Amino acid sequence: MAKTDAAAGDTGESALGYEQARDELIEVVRRLEAGGTSLEESLALWERGEELAAVCRRWLEGARARLDAALAADSSEDASRG
């Protein structure tokens, strides 16, 4: 899947693909769940997690839109044949 502005984060996340963002988000969650970090570090991790979740959400929304468009195009082709 091509990287587009719609899939890019508001904070310059355009270089992150879905899998990269997901993997980094998993690591952020693991670190938060493990504990042992300062309040400041925990807040920074939380904020990064929110950014990564937004990147993933945009990728998934874009994929859903592409699937919907493909299904709609397929339906209209079937209707015009029938």
Side-chain angles (χ1 to χ4, degrees):
M1 181 189 295
K3 292 176 181 69
T4 65
D5 289 342
D10 295 335
T11 56
E13 298 293 338
S14 61
L16 282 180
Y18 172 78
E19 291 81 4
Q20 292 169 307
R22 181 202 59 210
D23 291 346
E24 187 177 341
L25 180 56
I26 290 168
E27 178 61 20
V28 165
V29 170
R30 186 196 64 73
R31 289 180 62 194
L32 284 169
E33 288 178 341
T37 57
S38 68
L39 177 59
E40 190 65 34
E41 186 177 6
S42 293
L43 287 172
L45 286 168
W46 179 269
E47 290 169 347
R48 181 62 179 158
E50 289 291 330
E51 293 169 359
L52 293 165
V55 170
C56 290
R57 189 170 29 257
R58 282 189 289 276
W59 275 108
L60 292 173
E61 288 169 356
R64 171 53 69 188
R66 290 177 64 188
L67 287 171
D68 289 345
L71 291 172
D74 190 45
S75 294
S76 67
E77 286 178 16
D78 288 346
S80 67
R81 289 186 207 147

